[in-house]
Amino acid sequence: MNTKAAGYNYAYLDEQTKRMIRRAILKAVAIPGYQVPFGSREMPMPYGWGTGGVQVTAALIGPLDVLKVIDQGADDTTNAVSIRKFFAAVAEVATTTATERATIVQTRHRIPETPLREGQILVLQVPIPEPLRWLEPREAETRKMHALEEYGAMHVSLYEDLARHGRIAKTYDYPVLVEGRYLMRPSPIPKFDNPKLDRSPALMLFGAGRERRIYALPPHTRVESLAFEDHPFEVETWEARCRLCGAEDSYLDEVIVDDAGGRMFVCSDTDYCNRRQAAQGKPNPEMLGGKA
Amino acid sequence: MYVAVKGGEKAIENAHAWLAELRRGDPALAELGVEQIVQQLRLAVDRVMTEGSLYDPELAALAIKQARGDLIEAIFLLRAYRTTLPRFAAACPLDTARMALKRRVSATFKDLPGGQVLGPTFDYTHRLLDFALAAEGAAPEPAPEAEPDVAGTLPRVTDLLAGEDLIETAQSAEDEERHVADITRESLSLPAGRDLRLQMLARGDEGFLLALAYSTQRGFGNSHPFAAEIRGGQVDVSLVPEELGFEIEIGEIEVTECQMVNQFLGGEETPPQFTRGYGLAFGQSERKAMAMALVDRALRAAELGEESDAPANDAEFVLYHCDNVQATGFTEHLKLPHYVDFQSELSMLRRLRAEFLAREDSGEGDDQEAAE
């Protein structure tokens, strides 16, 4: 990989492209929740596989950074491995699986269970940035709706869920209102993670490569999940707890263990789970470690 | 236990080793050379250069070899390379009237200055499998050659029509000073000008544009096109370096150009005249150039005050979905893990089912149905 990376600029993108992306990020930070168009580049991984997040990370990363990459909460899913290796090669950066040691965490579909702190940056990979897309397929229209703060259609759609199912059936990519102004798609994180967006001390950056948009939540931004007074927002709950570490407060993945319907629940956040197990003195051969 | 999502790193390495092995195939057979691909699979190379938007036959051939003949994968490889190249200048507009022609056909005039030149085409071949090609044989007899035409300008059919004012003026002639957008550097914004649209179409997927073009001919869109001219051959590329201030030639490329003309009955301020649809592709990519020209014209329906409710008239639909690198990435990303979101759906579905079944047990469901 090192020889392959030779001939490319530090962190793959040329400096002018990085500057263009940084400008878009600054604008996004200045207008929380607003989708800023940017001149997304082809990356050496396919669109839809994290090119937006990779470009944001590439524009930010420096040799002193410590990078963590997760997919579905786990450090060792194939796409997370691939992106981590990419940056280790092109940016010669230290990587880690420990959330609190990372300066930049790039993620797909989850926010780590370990609370983020000031100075950390969470980079989320976004497939479809537009929260109104399923209600209105046209970009020209949805941009107008944002400009006019015309979000009634979204409330109606949530109300239709209530009328039909007795509850809001949206489970991930649950729409949020940022600082009372912009409707925003939090990327397909489960709504379990939505409360972690609210007033987070860490900077959160959202990159959509194929759709060419960047948006941001600066630290301590008010982020409200849409709901109704008589139907407050609620998150997923499980009757089970994590089989490996016993956690009751984390997002659980269901793992099918045999072909007779047997299954168990384990933490989706592998770093959180591994460290809880270590604290309990359990041997842990699966822990990815010692990389940073 | 709990192995399904582990071991990603090793698995990736092994998968790629297997891929490399299959790419090479049986080592007892001679390896396919990049130069062979450039020469003998030239139309694949032309397509990859066109949709990869990089004119470099060797690199395109390498991409085809590396992609095991998967052209969309090859286009992706070329694009990912192209995006890292510095952009030092913009070329002057190609003067296709000064093309060294390999092929030139017009469907609108039986004969015209310069004549019709069929060139190396599949047209009028009978599509019978040639089993002789399966057996390795001697090179074919050299094709008979005509005296090369004196190099110089051979006016395009649309230029002949323009002489009589029968066709609209091409936009670029009107305002040469306007900044031309660059779809590879900026985000597409709507409504998109024709420069942006043509750039998107030029790198758009041949199959997608072909289907859209075809749909306009079958009634989804009101188009009555004539292929005024299709020409292909070598053209000079030149640019004006700032420090020189005059044009210098930097090389030549092979292109295929298609100009379609459509009748237009005129509006309140414009007299009846023909309108243009334009297609341009690298190499010999005639199907692509023709499809592009038809779709370009279809996208102009609204500006010309025509009905514009067919799929091919809809700029947002066409432009946002014609890029095969974007389309293949997003379609194929569905194979990435989605267990977190799926778990979320699963628990919601179980809860809704439990509520439904509880209602049914208590007989409430029946009442509700009766009430409806």
Side-chain angles (χ1 to χ4, degrees):
Chain A
M1 190 84 193
N2 267 328
T3 47
K4 262 195 190 172
Y8 289 103
N9 192 36
Y10 179 78
Y12 186 77
L13 295 173
D14 58 281
E15 294 304 316
Q16 275 180 330
T17 297
K18 286 187 197 170
R19 200 160 62 177
M20 174 273 295
I21 295 173
R22 287 179 198 137
R23 281 198 192 117
I25 292 173
L26 287 175
K27 182 167 178 184
V29 168
I31 318 172
Y34 172 75
Q35 301 168 49
V36 182
F38 79 112
S40 177
R41 303 288 192 257
E42 276 92 1
M43 297 302 283
M45 53 277 283
Y47 285 117
W49 297 53
T51 53
V54 169
Q55 288 180 78
V56 169
T57 300
L60 296 173
I61 208 161
L64 298 180
D65 275 307
V66 180
L67 176 71
K68 171 181 167 83
V69 184
I70 51 174
D71 186 345
Q72 314 294 302
D75 294 276
D76 54 356
T77 37
T78 42
N79 205 42
V81 169
S82 158
I83 291 172
R84 187 165 54 237
K85 279 178 78 173
F86 175 72
F87 279 114
V90 300
E92 296 141 27
V93 77
T95 60
T96 184
T97 58
T99 301
E100 75 276 1
R101 275 171 62 195
T103 55
I104 300 175
V105 180
Q106 181 170 332
T107 177
R108 173 172 175 263
H109 292 198
R110 272 315 308 274
I111 297 175
E113 307 290 2
T114 309
L116 298 170
R117 59 176 160 73
E118 211 165 296
Q120 286 183 307
I121 301 177
L122 185 72
V123 178
L124 292 102
Q125 302 170 199
V126 180
I128 307 259
E130 179 49 68
L132 300 164
R133 183 59 71 236
W134 307 141
L135 305 171
E136 169 54 59
R138 285 172 195 286
E139 181 67 16
E141 276 306 308
T142 52
R143 284 185 79 82
K144 243 182 267 168
M145 291 164 81
H146 282 293
L148 301 172
E149 222 176 320
E150 202 183 289
Y151 297 141
M154 180 57 88
H155 286 102
V156 170
S157 128
L158 296 179
Y159 177 74
E160 280 174 351
D161 269 8
L162 280 181
R164 229 175 267 152
H165 311 296
R167 61 178 70 247
I168 293 171
K170 221 158 167 27
T171 55
Y172 58 90
D173 229 335
Y174 191 100
V176 295
L177 198 64
V178 179
E179 282 294 344
R181 175 57 180 87
Y182 281 102
L183 191 64
M184 188 192 93
R185 219 166 152 148
S187 88
I189 54 173
K191 62 183 177 182
F192 181 89
D193 285 341
N194 273 24
K196 296 175 187 161
L197 299 168
D198 186 30
R199 296 176 175 87
S200 163
L203 169 63
M204 303 203 171
L205 299 175
F206 298 76
R210 193 178 37 79
E211 300 279 340
R212 302 183 159 195
R213 296 287 185 274
I214 287 172
Y215 51 102
L217 295 174
H220 311 293
T221 302
R222 193 156 48 86
V223 180
E224 189 190 336
S225 300
L226 295 190
F228 298 96
E229 271 170 25
D230 50 346
H231 279 90
F233 174 75
E234 49 182 35
V235 300
E236 298 89 339
T237 52
W238 288 263
E239 278 160 25
R241 48 166 67 191
C242 173
R243 178 77 70 83
L244 301 175
C245 76
E248 287 178 307
D249 58 352
S250 77
Y251 190 87
L252 299 180
D253 271 345
E254 187 170 331
V255 181
I256 296 175
V257 291
D258 56 38
D259 53 8
R263 57 180 117 97
M264 65 171 196
F265 290 89
V266 293
C267 289
S268 119
D269 185 336
T270 49
D271 169 56
Y272 182 73
C273 191
N274 286 338
R275 264 161 333 118
R276 277 180 52 91
Q277 290 177 63
Q280 293 158 17
K282 289 187 188 169
N284 191 357
E286 282 164 346
M287 189 156 170
L288 272 178
K291 281 206 139 187
Chain B
M1 194 167 71
Y2 193 37
V3 289
V5 298
K6 294 283 168 186
E9 200 150 353
K10 193 77 198 146
I12 290 174
E13 274 168 29
N14 292 344
H16 292 174
W18 194 2
L19 172 70
E21 197 181 317
L22 287 180
R23 176 188 297 124
R24 177 60 183 86
D26 183 351
L29 293 171
E31 187 177 353
L32 186 59
V34 165
E35 208 39 51
Q36 287 175 310
I37 297 173
V38 172
Q39 293 286 325
Q40 298 175 37
L41 294 177
R42 184 57 196 222
L43 300 188
V45 169
D46 288 347
R47 178 171 176 196
V48 170
M49 291 195 302
T50 299
E51 292 169 36
S53 9
L54 180 67
Y55 193 92
D56 190 321
E58 277 76 28
L59 286 182
L62 171 62
I64 291 168
K65 177 175 174 172
Q66 189 177 332
R68 305 180 66 201
D70 179 338
L71 295 191
I72 291 182
E73 179 70 20
I75 289 160
F76 179 20
L77 284 169
L78 205 60
R79 287 252 198 111
Y81 175 75
R82 174 198 200 273
T83 197
T84 66
L85 299 176
R87 199 134 319 183
F88 56 89
C92 305
L94 297 181
D95 186 359
T96 52
R98 297 176 54 86
M99 183 185 284
L101 291 172
K102 237 185 196 175
R103 173 163 166 81
R104 191 262 194 126
V105 291
S106 168
T108 50
F109 295 101
K110 185 172 180 179
D111 200 8
L112 64 170
Q116 310 254 15
V117 182
L118 269 185
T121 177
F122 290 124
D123 297 350
Y124 317 110
T125 61
H126 293 140
R127 269 61 170 205
L128 303 170
L129 275 177
D130 182 358
F131 296 105
L133 276 179
E136 288 170 54
E141 293 285 309
E145 241 177 278
E147 281 297 306
D149 240 330
V150 275
T153 305
L154 193 60
R156 291 161 296 212
V157 172
T158 46
D159 300 338
L160 303 175
L161 289 169
E164 262 187 273
D165 226 6
L166 285 172
I167 190 161
E168 61 176 341
T169 322
Q171 272 170 333
S172 65
E174 284 169 7
D175 51 340
E176 274 174 0
E177 292 306 307
R178 203 169 68 87
H179 163 74
V180 177
D182 181 351
I183 196 61
T184 67
R185 300 275 125 168
E186 294 148 31
S187 179
L188 174 66
S189 60
L190 294 164
R194 191 152 175 236
D195 47 350
L196 276 176
R197 299 199 308 252
L198 286 169
Q199 288 174 30
M200 289 295 295
L201 296 179
R203 49 167 33 198
D205 182 73
E206 179 175 314
F208 181 72
L209 295 185
L210 176 66
L212 280 174
Y214 178 48
S215 73
T216 66
Q217 293 179 278
R218 284 197 66 263
F220 288 83
N222 190 18
S223 119
H224 301 282
F226 293 95
E229 183 170 358
I230 297 158
R231 57 166 64 194
Q234 303 286 129
V235 326
D236 294 331
V237 179
S238 52
L239 55 83
V240 182
E242 270 178 35
E243 48 282 47
L244 289 183
F246 55 85
E247 221 175 289
I248 53 165
E249 262 177 47
I250 56 166
E252 53 175 31
I253 60 175
E254 185 179 355
V255 297
T256 302
E257 180 187 58
C258 174
Q259 300 229 43
M260 294 279 181
V261 298
N262 282 59
Q263 205 183 78
F264 173 59
L265 296 177
E268 286 189 6
E269 285 167 25
T270 27
Q273 59 184 169
F274 288 114
T275 53
R276 301 166 188 257
Y278 188 77
L280 185 75
F282 287 149
Q284 206 182 325
S285 305
E286 198 163 291
R287 184 187 302 118
K288 168 65 187 271
M290 293 181 77
M292 177 178 166
L294 290 177
V295 176
D296 170 45
R297 179 60 182 78
L299 289 177
R300 300 183 58 209
E303 98 193 25
L304 294 168
E306 300 168 345
E307 260 184 66
S308 57
D309 46 9
N313 300 137
D314 185 333
E316 183 156 356
F317 178 76
V318 173
L319 301 181
Y320 266 97
H321 301 111
C322 68
D323 189 299
N324 55 25
V325 177
Q326 291 177 357
T328 195
F330 199 50
T331 302
E332 293 195 50
H333 106 285
L334 289 174
K335 63 195 165 191
L336 287 180
H338 283 81
Y339 6 94
V340 164
D341 299 344
F342 188 71
Q343 181 58 222
S344 219
E345 294 265 280
L346 209 56
S347 54
M348 174 61 69
L349 194 67
R350 283 188 182 126
R351 191 182 287 188
L352 289 176
R353 275 180 64 84
E355 284 168 5
F356 176 88
L357 294 174
R359 265 205 312 276
E360 212 167 50
D361 282 349
S362 66
E364 221 185 287
D366 302 336
D367 293 347
Q368 209 177 337
E369 250 171 64
E372 278 171 8

